[in-house]
């Protein structure tokens, strides 16, 4: 059997079982408050873990990526929309990359 088909099968099995096992193992609603709050934040943490390295390493310099991250945090905390935060981050990276 070709090696790439084995990889595809392993990836399929991992994805399938991660999605199916909670439905088969957990029949009753979760009543534990700690576990509920833990599961509530899992999607946000997963998104942050995937996004943060891309922000820092997606530019030519780690400094411009870090500046974009700081600008994004500040503007999002001030209540700006996602589109405005993204534009401001892109502009900050562009300007800093011109000087480095």
């Amino acid at each position: 059997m070709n090696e790439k088909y084995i990889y595809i099968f392993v990836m399929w099995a991992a994805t399938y079982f991660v999605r199916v096992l909670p439905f088969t193992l957990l029949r009753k609603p979760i009543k534990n408050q700690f576990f509920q709050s833990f599961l509530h934040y899992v999607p946000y943490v997963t998104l942050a873990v995937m996004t943060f390295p891309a922000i820092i390493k997606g530019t030519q310099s780690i400094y411009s990526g870090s500046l974009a991250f700081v600008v994004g945090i500040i503007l999002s905390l001030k209540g700006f929309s996602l589109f405005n935060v993204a534009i401001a981050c892109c502009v900050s990276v562009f300007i800093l990359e011109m000087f480095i």
Side-chain angles (χ1 to χ4, degrees):
M1 186 174 199
N2 199 344
E3 191 173 298
K4 67 180 176 182
Y5 293 118
I6 294 172
Y7 291 140
I8 291 171
F9 176 76
V10 169
M11 292 300 294
W12 170 83
T15 304
Y16 180 76
F17 288 121
V18 165
R19 292 176 188 225
V20 168
L21 282 178
F23 290 116
T24 59
L25 297 178
L26 302 172
R27 298 279 181 180
K28 296 185 257 179
I30 298 171
K31 295 189 191 302
N32 186 340
Q33 192 69 23
F34 175 76
F35 198 61
Q36 276 184 341
S37 64
F38 173 77
L39 290 176
H40 176 73
Y41 289 107
V42 167
Y44 302 112
V45 171
T46 305
L47 182 62
V49 166
M50 292 186 317
T51 305
F52 183 72
I55 291 171
I56 300 299
K57 295 180 181 178
T59 59
Q60 292 180 0
S61 166
I62 192 169
Y63 302 115
S64 58
S66 300
L67 175 70
F69 179 70
V70 171
V71 167
I73 293 292
I74 291 171
L75 292 180
S76 64
L77 288 176
K78 289 189 178 265
F80 283 81
S81 70
L82 179 62
F83 182 74
N84 290 335
V85 170
I87 294 295
C89 291
C90 291
V91 168
S92 67
V93 167
F94 180 75
I95 290 172
L96 190 61
E97 291 283 334
M98 285 181 10
F99 294 112
I100 291 181

